[in-house]
Amino acid sequence: MEPPASPETPTPAFGTHLHHWSPDTREAYFDGVPALEAEAARLSAAGHLHELVAVHHRLTVRSALLRENRAHRFEEPLRPLFDEEVALARRSAEGLPRALTDRAMFLVAARRYEEARADFAEAVSLLDADRTPIVTAT
């Protein structure tokens, strides 16, 4: 989850498509990638897993958006980010369905349908397991 927008930190309005961002917002958003990489490294070294999961998710999303229009060779630089997001979610025991769904959608874009289906099926099974059935007396 991205922090709230403010005049000091230009971020796009929620739901606004990348192509409708102003040039200064786009530049500021993507210029933040190296800072997120550094923050993720710092949190990892310090063993702050909970915070690392959130920062890594932001890094993965920004990196994917940065390469959105690059259909050629996008899988190689992005795959490790999505794999790490899933690995971190497994270690932290939080956010795994979201991480699996993120990676599944990435894998669909990369035309790796069997892998995508496996991730999506696991995400659905985790969500189904978390549901509390509604029991009514008859």
Side-chain angles (χ1 to χ4, degrees):
M1 187 74 119
E2 288 287 337
S6 72
E8 297 81 33
T9 59
T11 56
F14 181 75
T16 304
H17 192 277
L18 173 67
H19 299 286
H20 295 111
W21 297 0
S22 67
D24 61 328
T25 298
R26 183 179 313 193
E27 182 179 342
Y29 188 78
F30 293 129
D31 283 352
V33 169
L36 286 172
E37 291 171 335
E39 179 70 2
R42 185 188 70 73
L43 291 169
S44 181
H48 296 290
L49 187 57
H50 177 74
E51 295 90 350
L52 177 58
V53 169
V55 169
H56 194 279
H57 177 71
R58 290 174 53 208
L59 172 62
T60 302
V61 169
R62 285 190 191 202
S63 298
L65 286 172
L66 182 60
R67 290 174 176 83
E68 183 194 26
N69 290 327
R70 298 178 188 157
H72 180 68
R73 300 183 71 176
F74 74 96
E75 183 180 3
E76 186 178 317
L78 291 176
R79 179 67 187 255
L81 288 170
F82 282 97
D83 289 346
E84 181 67 12
E85 184 176 349
V86 170
L88 288 170
R90 287 188 195 285
R91 283 181 31 215
S92 73
E94 68 179 64
L96 185 55
R98 180 190 70 195
L100 287 165
T101 302
D102 287 350
R103 187 170 68 180
M105 296 303 99
F106 163 74
L107 291 167
V108 166
R111 297 182 177 167
R112 298 197 176 275
Y113 303 116
E114 286 184 40
E115 292 174 78
R117 184 186 183 288
D119 276 359
F120 191 69
E122 184 179 354
V124 168
S125 71
L126 290 168
L127 291 171
D128 283 345
D130 285 344
R131 277 192 204 165
T132 304
I134 298 174
V135 179
T136 58
T138 56

